[in-house]
Amino acid sequence: MPWDRDQMAARAALELEDGFYVNLGIGIPTLVSNYVPKDYDITLQSENGMLGMGAFPTEEEIDPDLINAGKQTVTELDRTSYFSSSQSFAMIRGGHINLSILGAMEVSETGDLANWMIPGRLVKGMGGAMDLVAGVQRIVVIMDHANKAGESKLLKKCSLPLTGQAVVDRVITNLGVFDIVEGGLRVVEMAPEITMDEVYAKTEASIVV
Amino acid sequence: MKKVYSAAQSALDGLLFDGMTIVAGGFGLCGIPENLILSIKESGIKNLTIASNNAGVDGFGLGLLLQDKQVKKMISSYVGENDLFMQQYLAGDLEIEFNPQGTLAERLRAGGAGIPGFYTATGVGTKIAEGKELKEFDGKTYVLERGLKADLAIVKAWKGDEQGNLTYRKTAMNFNPECATAGTVTVAEVEELVPVGTLDKMSIHTPGVYVQRIFKGQHEKRIEQRTTRAA
């Protein structure tokens, strides 16, 4: 059984370590915050200028001056600090954030990441993604193993314009967990009942045993 | 020198011209200089180059300046919330220069701090680095990005005093402090204009030297993504 979105997010939560400062991307990565172990001290960074991001507000708590990088209303915590955009990216680019979990369109076997534009389609912009992959200590991608046409999103070489070159450390897909290593992808773990044959059949990137 | 003005229109008097470059604070619709944007729309100036993280939404924020095609070029990291923007872009009426968000912030910071360029790893190996100088430091490749300055900076703060000292509130700070430093002239709109000496001197985010004109505005503070949990 391949993992569903929540199971992928739960698996990604195992990447967290007590005391980590973490930036979560939009989409499935946001769900990871639902699976943080209770006894862990995790601080979420939001690149619009907040460290220590809280839950969504109740109707009474809504504050238009308090949003996350997805422009959603959020709340603050006792530990929260606010800062400007250059300060926010100083901590990102400067390697002070331990982990970023991001979505992707394609990942190559050398750790290239493409997640910001499809040529010929409307380009909305990269936001903070290029800075995150260039600066954060460890980059974990969560994405489906295949696209809607059934083609592998783990490739020998990305076909889409890159967000970063050789930046991805680990990929979590609905089929399993894969590390970017010398020579290709190393299978770290497989979802229940997924076989190596299935992984080989559905992966274009080289698999290192 | 008196910095206090009564409203956006008088605060912008004599500063606006066709073809100028403007930097604007704000992230999405959070912490945007609503009053100044509206006044720039009413002025009718055209051929603007505007650097701001986003381009507003249809009919609000910087999106207002698109209605009469006042903008020639946007420098932004993300413009996905604006249909009119996309129409004008696809029709070739509007140019876009995408900057990674941290690069845009640092370009403004550097520009305001007298630093004409800086090297960053952000964008190396991507379209963003094409045509730009690359340099290796300690075995890693970086790309040269330029500091960014503007004819005018428009910012929004929470409280400001008559000397132009500013404090921002929560995530409405975002790009405002960087923009405030990058303008040849900086105009600030605030929610509360307070007498000199009443702001906590240790909590001033933007020192008054960066701000030439200031006024108290009216702020709608529209919310882009109202997301809640059950009480």
Side-chain angles (χ1 to χ4, degrees):
Chain A
M1 279 287 288
W3 286 321
D4 64 19
R5 283 163 57 95
D6 285 295
Q7 288 166 325
M8 286 159 71
R11 176 57 190 81
L14 300 179
E15 304 295 321
L16 302 169
E17 290 177 29
D18 192 18
F20 262 16
Y21 290 87
V22 180
N23 184 295
L24 300 177
I26 293 165
I28 306 180
T30 308
L31 299 175
V32 175
S33 62
N34 297 335
Y35 299 96
V36 177
K38 290 272 181 287
D39 56 339
Y40 274 23
D41 191 47
I42 299 291
T43 305
L44 296 179
Q45 202 256 12
S46 187
E47 60 262 34
N48 55 319
M50 180 182 198
L51 201 53
M53 185 167 54
F56 293 132
T58 62
E59 199 62 43
E60 291 71 39
E61 289 171 338
I62 285 180
D63 182 343
D65 290 336
L66 183 40
I67 63 169
N68 65 16
K71 286 134 191 160
Q72 297 170 306
T73 44
V74 291
T75 55
E76 64 184 18
L77 305 168
D78 286 344
R79 73 177 58 188
T80 298
S81 58
Y82 299 107
F83 34 82
S84 74
S85 295
S86 67
Q87 176 72 264
S88 179
F89 283 92
M91 64 184 75
I92 288 169
R93 208 190 297 101
H96 304 278
I97 303 296
N98 302 106
L99 172 70
S100 184
I101 302 177
L102 301 167
M105 299 171 184
E106 296 176 349
V107 174
S108 83
E109 63 189 38
T110 54
D112 295 351
L113 170 71
N115 72 351
W116 80 283
M117 77 176 281
I118 300 175
R121 291 250 297 267
L122 234 42
V123 184
K124 295 180 171 184
M126 73 292 283
M130 286 192 182
D131 305 280
L132 285 162
V133 299
V136 171
Q137 290 169 21
R138 183 170 165 79
I139 301 295
V140 173
V141 164
I142 308 186
M143 64 177 192
D144 285 328
H145 205 91
N147 63 21
K148 288 192 177 102
E151 299 154 344
S152 175
K153 293 171 69 171
L154 285 164
L155 303 170
K156 293 194 182 306
K157 197 173 182 310
C158 291
S159 66
L160 297 170
L162 298 185
T163 307
Q165 201 171 41
V167 292
V168 177
D169 297 292
R170 175 169 281 191
V171 184
I172 299 171
T173 77
N174 47 327
L175 299 188
V177 180
F178 307 87
D179 275 351
I180 309 293
V181 297
E182 192 68 37
L185 302 175
R186 188 173 63 81
V187 181
V188 177
E189 191 179 326
M190 285 184 287
E193 296 164 44
I194 302 296
T195 63
M196 274 305 286
D197 285 347
E198 185 173 359
V199 171
Y200 274 114
K202 292 181 173 172
T203 309
E204 187 207 284
S206 313
I207 292 179
V208 180
V209 182
Chain B
M1 202 183 88
K2 186 178 154 297
K3 293 186 177 181
V4 178
Y5 288 76
S6 60
Q9 195 183 358
S10 57
L12 288 172
D13 188 40
L15 300 180
L16 302 180
F17 57 92
D18 287 345
M20 73 189 301
T21 298
I22 300 174
V23 294
F27 184 95
L29 300 179
C30 184
I32 58 171
E34 298 178 25
N35 297 262
L36 289 161
I37 291 168
L38 195 58
S39 200
I40 290 169
K41 176 182 169 57
E42 286 163 358
S43 78
I45 54 167
K46 290 201 185 305
N47 282 321
L48 303 176
T49 296
I50 299 183
S52 189
N53 189 54
N54 314 95
V57 297
D58 290 306
F60 196 68
L62 290 171
L64 288 171
L65 304 185
L66 301 175
Q67 292 174 339
D68 299 317
K69 297 193 178 173
Q70 290 172 272
V71 184
K72 179 183 71 177
K73 178 180 175 181
M74 282 297 304
I75 302 172
S76 302
S77 85
Y78 190 83
V79 296
E81 327 288 358
N82 196 317
D83 291 337
L84 188 57
F85 186 102
M86 286 301 170
Q87 280 173 31
Q88 292 185 13
Y89 171 65
L90 292 173
D93 293 334
L94 181 58
E95 200 184 323
I96 170 84
E97 176 187 323
F98 282 116
N99 281 191
Q101 196 175 138
T103 294
L104 178 59
E106 192 63 13
R107 291 186 68 195
L108 293 163
R109 195 198 71 81
I115 296 171
F118 59 93
Y119 290 98
T120 174
T122 302
V124 169
T126 77
K127 280 181 179 301
I128 295 306
E130 284 173 12
K132 293 175 184 168
E133 184 195 321
L134 299 175
K135 191 172 166 109
E136 204 169 287
F137 294 89
D138 305 320
K140 192 172 170 185
T141 306
Y142 297 80
V143 57
L144 177 67
E145 295 283 1
R146 296 293 309 271
L148 184 59
K149 292 169 78 167
D151 300 307
L152 172 67
I154 55 173
V155 301
K156 189 263 171 179
W158 179 33
K159 294 180 183 178
D161 70 18
E162 296 144 352
Q163 285 294 318
N165 293 309
L166 305 177
T167 63
Y168 306 93
R169 191 171 173 277
K170 303 191 177 184
T171 58
M173 183 186 310
N174 57 62
F175 282 84
N176 283 294
E178 286 82 13
C179 288
T181 67
T184 303
V185 179
T186 294
V187 183
E189 58 178 73
V190 296
E191 291 177 52
E192 294 178 43
L193 187 59
V194 300
V196 171
T198 55
L199 290 175
D200 175 1
K201 295 171 181 57
M202 292 186 289
S203 301
I204 289 168
H205 298 116
T206 295
V209 68
Y210 295 110
V211 178
Q212 282 70 47
R213 301 183 182 190
I214 187 169
F215 68 97
K216 181 184 180 309
Q218 300 293 326
H219 295 97
E220 178 187 331
K221 294 198 194 182
R222 196 179 290 186
I223 294 174
E224 218 165 325
Q225 304 283 345
R226 179 179 285 266
T227 318
T228 57
R229 66 184 152 88

